[in-house]
Amino acid sequence: QLQASGGGLVQPGGSLRLSCAASGRTFGSYVMGWFRQAPGKEREFVAAVSWLGRSTYRADSVKGRFTISRDNAKNTVYLQMNSLKPEDTAVYYCAADRDWATLPNGHVEVWGWGTLVTVSS
């Protein structure tokens, strides 16, 4: 199971850090990622981090602003979000899959519960 937390209301230009805690003993076997779904829109890929955290991949819309990382000792993946914009408003979901190549395309073995991020003044 994946449990996301850390969402909330933030002003434009502000920062938030999302966390996603995983249960089980196989966390290190999974590529971890974040997706988001804005009202009235389809869910979209945000970022992914490889099994040991050595590689990351981010959507163009968040490059330079969002950073994904993981702590395998804590079974947790993070999404640091800086310089937030109103268009970042969405429900954010963490996700896990064993395949680095297909997770960004939405091929996900395990979806977590979402956490709402609202960027507004």
Side-chain angles (χ1 to χ4, degrees), residues 10 16 23 29 31 36 72 74 85-86 91 94 104 106 110:
V10 62
L16 278 177
S23 60
S29 300
V31 176
R36 67 186 181 186
N72 285 358
K74 296 182 178 180
K85 305 174 181 180
V91 176
C94 60
V110 183

Side-chain angles (χ1 to χ4, degrees), residues 31-38 42-50 55-63 66 68 79 91-93 95 99-108 111:
V31 176
M32 299 300 297
W34 289 94
F35 289 75
R36 67 186 181 186
Q37 187 167 19
E42 294 186 353
R43 186 154 49 187
E44 65 174 359
F45 168 76
V46 176
V49 60
S50 61
S55 297
T56 61
Y57 175 59
R58 290 167 290 179
D60 288 343
S61 59
V62 305
K63 282 182 180 176
F66 291 12
I68 187 170
L79 186 68
V91 176
Y92 284 72
Y93 299 89
D99 193 328
W100 171 256
T102 57
L103 181 142
N105 296 323
H107 184 275
V108 171
W111 287 102

Side-chain angles (χ1 to χ4, degrees), residues 10-18 34 36 44-47 56-69 78-90 92 117-120:
V10 62
Q11 292 186 344
S15 298
L16 278 177
R17 189 176 82 154
L18 305 183
W34 289 94
R36 67 186 181 186
E44 65 174 359
F45 168 76
V46 176
T56 61
Y57 175 59
R58 290 167 290 179
D60 288 343
S61 59
V62 305
K63 282 182 180 176
R65 300 189 300 121
F66 291 12
T67 302
I68 187 170
S69 62
Y78 305 98
L79 186 68
Q80 177 66 44
M81 305 185 294
N82 299 328
S83 301
L84 283 160
K85 305 174 181 180
E87 52 264 42
D88 295 318
T89 295
Y92 284 72
V117 173
T118 304
V119 184
S120 175

